[in-house]
């Protein structure tokens, strides 16, 4: 999620996943039943699960007359996906719009493009589009429609260039055709243009990046009807703190090719209503009406499911998983492919001192967090990428729990009486952070045991990202759930260049990430990613804490979607079952 109002001077990206499941999916991974007990990468199987529940008969009448209501932890932000960077928005927009490339587990597979080619240098990508696809407004999908979208993004002006609005575009493509200095984008765009030829679209880049083809699956790069885009061609955003444009907050303007169309967004009721797209090119959605209702409190989401007010919800608390299963609900668990970390903002003294950062790292008992807060399958992290990605290194410097060593290092640094403000988010649960206050309490007690005085600063989620990104919090908890399977998706997101949220300027780290990201030879690239991982952990900008398998719950009379390690569920697969 990206909502910081502070200009960011870097190229960023996102990441991917692997899977395990409980209930409707065949589980893989740790055999432990009591809390998160996977302590190393070797203890866990990162393969994606296969369904074992068959395909029960659908209740056709219920699917036509009864809406499927899903309880989401937060509100979406925009119905124009290029202006979003958060999972709650993409949960909705993914049902309305589609991308050139899709994902199956963590693999890139055909989306709107049934196939694609790249030149040997990886700088030209030609997409061969499916025949007979139309947008919900009746416009035909062709290469020109694809190029219209890419040219629109590349030529954004003013506030549209701010990472507050188009975070993923600048993250992947680096910049715009003409960068606006006021928006903080300093790097040149690698996008060189798009050429259409019937059902083909060729996208040209100035250099290779390992982010492709995975980045073409990002929901931000969903393809929208050119007729829709023509209707909003005159919309402007003057500044980085401008409100989102009106068209992105209502139904009826933008048309996609997905299995649903947006029919209503009731902001007061915090509810988005979608209706089946009867002209969809693929398998039609089983349920006619799909509703996403925001219920921010996890307990309230569980109670709504138990009462029958909703038929599914995300991020079930670890302690609720088994009781829900025992009560007859279905609780598939996504794969472990996210990362929670404790950040050290080096713009805040004395965190620029490496010895102090080392001391704090040795003071934290990460196994206690995994074993007491995370669900089974949780994993202690040793670096800033999950073990399933290429470039994971067994040679990174590690910081195992050692409170005496922490005290000694603080003494050597002259910081025996250190006091630090520690920020954590309230009113939220995230896939990588199911219980922020509990995790904060554990880390705070560890730091205090090492002699550090902790000043707690709880911040509501809507303000949390801007506050942490602006460098105001010396210590804070945050994390990432991946979008596609490439190390840059993690490392590049955080450490591609200097930024206020981390506050360090280590050119060796920046260069090591750039070298890996732009190396086309796979074997060489893997070694370079290992080197980059090692450089990051030597710098120690923060402490990787854990990876967690988030749960998603459904009623007994529902056929759930395939759970996605990327949290990219396709709700067109959902239906009410007969005889339940």
């Amino acid at each position: 999620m990206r909502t910081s109002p502070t200009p960011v001077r870097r190229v960023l990206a996102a990441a991917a996943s692997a899977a395990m499941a409980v209930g409707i999916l065949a589980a893989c991974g740790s055999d432990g039943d009591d809390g998160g007990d996977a302590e190393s990468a070797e203890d866990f199987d990162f393969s994606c699960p296969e369904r074992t529940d068959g395909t029960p008969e659908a209740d056709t009448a219920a699917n036509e007359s009864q809406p499927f209501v899903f309880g989401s932890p937060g509100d979406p932000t925009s119905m124009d996906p290029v202006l979003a960077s958060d999972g709650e928005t993409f949960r909705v927009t993914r049902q309305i719009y589609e991308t050139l490339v899709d994902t199956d587990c963590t693999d890139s597979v055909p989306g709107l493009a049934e196939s694609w080619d790249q030149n040997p240098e990886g700088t030209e990508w030609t997409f061969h589009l499916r025949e007979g696809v139309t947008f919900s407004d009746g416009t035909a999908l062709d290469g020109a429609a694809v190029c219209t979208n890419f040219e629109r993004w590349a030529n954004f002006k003013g506030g549209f260039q701010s990472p507050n609005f188009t975070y993923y575009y600048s993250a992947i493509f680096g910049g715009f055709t003409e960068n606006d200095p006021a928006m903080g984008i300093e790097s040149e765009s690698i996008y060189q243009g798009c050429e259409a030829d019937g059902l083909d679209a060729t996208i040209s880049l100035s250099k290779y990046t390992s982010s492709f083809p995975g980045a073409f699956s990002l929901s931000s790069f969903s393809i929208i009807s050119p007729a829709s885009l023509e209707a909003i061609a005159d919309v402007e955003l003057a500044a980085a703190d401008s409100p989102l444009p009106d068209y992105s907050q209502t139904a009826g303007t933008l048309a996609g090719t997905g299995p649903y169309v947006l029919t209503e967004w009731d902001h007061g009721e915090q509810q988005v209503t979608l209706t089946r797209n009867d002209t969809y090119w693929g398998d039609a959605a089983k349920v006619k009406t799909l509703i996403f209702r925001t219920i921010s409190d996890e307990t309230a989401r569980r109670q709504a499911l138990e009462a029958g007010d909703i038929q599914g919800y995300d991020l079930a608390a670890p302690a609720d998983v088994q009781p829900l299963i025992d009560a007859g609900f279905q609780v598939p668990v996504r794969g472990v492919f996210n990362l929670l970390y404790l950040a050290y903002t080096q713009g805040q003294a004395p965190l620029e001192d490496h010895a102090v950062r080392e001391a704090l790292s040795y003071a934290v008992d990460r196994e206690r967090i995994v074993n007491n807060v995370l669900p089974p399958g949780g994993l202690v992290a040793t670096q800033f990428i999950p073990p399933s990605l290429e470039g994971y290194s067994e040679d990174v410097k590690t910081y195992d729990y050692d409170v005496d060593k922490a005290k000694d290092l603080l003494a050597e640094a002259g910081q025996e009486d250190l006091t630090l403000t520690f920020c954590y988010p309230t009113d939220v649960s995230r896939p990588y952070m199911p219980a922020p206050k509990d995790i904060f309490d554990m880390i705070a007690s560890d730091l205090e045991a090492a002699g550090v005085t902790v000043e707690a600063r709880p911040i509501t989620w809507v303000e949390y990202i801007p506050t942490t990104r602006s460098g105001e919090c010396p210590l804070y908890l945050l994390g990432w759930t991946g979008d596609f399977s490439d190390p840059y998706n993690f490392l590049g997101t955080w450490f591609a260049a200097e930024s206020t949220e981390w506050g360090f300027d280590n050119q060796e780290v920046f260069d090591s990430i750039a070298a890996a990201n732009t190396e086309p030879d796979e074997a060489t690239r893997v070694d370079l990613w290992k080197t980059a991982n090692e450089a990051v952990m030597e710098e120690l900008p923060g402490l990787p804490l854990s990876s967690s398998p988030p749960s998603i719950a459904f009623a007994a009379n529902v056929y759930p979607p395939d759970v996605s390690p990327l949290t990219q569920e396709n709700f067109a697969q959902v239906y009410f079952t007969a005889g339940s």
Side-chain angles (χ1 to χ4, degrees), residues 227-272:
S228 295
L229 298 182
E230 180 65 26
I232 60 170
D234 295 333
V235 174
E236 297 180 355
L237 284 177
D241 59 355
S242 296
L244 282 159
D246 290 343
Y247 79 84
S248 72
Q249 304 299 299
T250 59
T253 302
L254 302 182
T257 61
Y260 283 96
V261 295
L262 173 67
T263 50
E264 183 181 14
W265 186 359
D266 189 327
H267 293 265
E269 294 295 323
Q270 296 181 283
Q271 182 167 290
V272 178

Side-chain angles (χ1 to χ4, degrees), residues 95-429:
Q95 319 308 319
I96 306 167
Y97 315 103
E98 295 176 305
T99 49
L100 294 172
V101 177
D102 204 348
T103 54
D104 179 11
C105 187
T106 61
D107 296 330
S108 295
V109 298
L112 289 176
E114 61 183 1
S115 64
W116 58 87
D117 308 312
Q118 67 179 88
N119 67 356
E121 297 76 26
T123 57
E124 285 189 1
W125 294 83
T126 299
F127 294 92
H128 309 291
L129 305 176
R130 298 178 185 275
E131 292 187 15
V133 176
T134 59
F135 296 92
S136 60
D137 64 0
T139 304
L141 172 72
D142 58 12
V146 170
C147 288
T148 296
N149 281 265
F150 276 85
E151 288 295 304
R152 176 204 179 206
W153 306 326
N155 290 285
F156 274 144
K157 307 290 184 184
F160 275 114
Q161 292 189 10
S162 169
N164 294 345
F165 297 114
T166 51
Y167 162 70
Y168 273 118
Y169 188 83
S170 57
I172 298 301
F173 291 100
F176 299 85
T177 302
E178 294 182 10
N179 288 338
D180 185 336
M183 295 303 112
I185 305 294
E186 297 181 358
S187 58
E188 291 185 6
S189 174
I190 66 170
Y191 174 77
Q192 298 293 290
C194 181
E195 207 171 295
D197 182 10
L199 288 177
D200 290 348
T202 300
I203 296 165
S204 299
L205 310 173
S206 62
K207 61 182 179 181
Y208 170 84
T209 167
S210 65
S211 295
F212 296 117
F216 289 119
S217 71
L218 286 170
S219 289
S220 279
F221 303 152
S222 297
I223 305 302
I224 294 174
S225 163
S228 295
L229 298 182
E230 180 65 26
I232 60 170
D234 295 333
V235 174
E236 297 180 355
L237 284 177
D241 59 355
S242 296
L244 282 159
D246 290 343
Y247 79 84
S248 72
Q249 304 299 299
T250 59
T253 302
L254 302 182
T257 61
Y260 283 96
V261 295
L262 173 67
T263 50
E264 183 181 14
W265 186 359
D266 189 327
H267 293 265
E269 294 295 323
Q270 296 181 283
Q271 182 167 290
V272 178
T273 302
L274 309 183
T275 303
R276 182 171 54 217
N277 177 7
D278 290 328
T279 64
Y280 182 54
W281 61 269
D283 293 336
K286 298 287 197 305
V287 174
K288 181 177 181 179
T289 305
L290 174 61
I291 294 174
F292 293 99
R293 180 178 299 161
T294 300
I295 307 174
S296 58
D297 180 72
E298 188 282 327
T299 299
R301 292 198 298 276
R302 188 199 71 229
Q303 292 172 340
L305 179 69
E306 293 170 334
D309 297 331
I310 62 176
Q311 290 74 51
Y313 75 93
D314 205 357
L315 304 183
D320 289 339
V321 171
Q322 194 57 49
L324 283 168
I325 293 172
D326 292 343
F329 295 99
Q330 304 172 83
V331 192
V333 181
R334 299 188 185 95
V336 180
F337 208 74
N338 53 46
L339 190 82
L340 170 67
Y341 57 82
L342 172 65
Y344 307 140
T345 304
Q346 292 183 41
Q348 299 273 355
L351 293 171
E352 75 282 0
D353 187 338
H354 192 278
V356 172
R357 302 198 302 276
E358 279 195 286
L360 299 177
S361 300
Y362 284 117
V364 177
D365 185 354
R366 288 171 286 180
E367 290 187 12
R368 183 162 70 117
I369 296 170
V370 169
N371 292 336
N372 291 281
V373 179
L374 303 189
L379 186 73
V380 171
T382 62
Q383 52 204 278
F384 278 89
I385 67 170
S388 54
L389 282 178
E390 65 177 22
Y392 186 87
S393 175
E394 300 295 341
D395 297 324
V396 295
K397 181 165 183 172
T398 56
Y399 304 86
D400 296 333
Y401 177 56
D402 188 335
V403 67
D404 292 331
K405 189 167 187 174
K407 290 178 180 178
D408 291 343
L409 284 167
L410 287 173
E412 291 172 14
Q415 296 294 339
E416 298 97 322
D417 299 318
L418 179 60
T419 298
L420 289 171
T421 299
F422 188 171
C423 301
Y424 67 93
T426 62
D427 71 332
V428 73
S429 55

Side-chain angles (χ1 to χ4, degrees), residues 6 28 43-44 50 52 94 104 175 299 378 381 503 526:
T6 305
C28 58
D43 292 336
F44 201 85
E50 295 182 1
T52 60
R94 191 173 291 110
D104 179 11
T299 299
V526 169

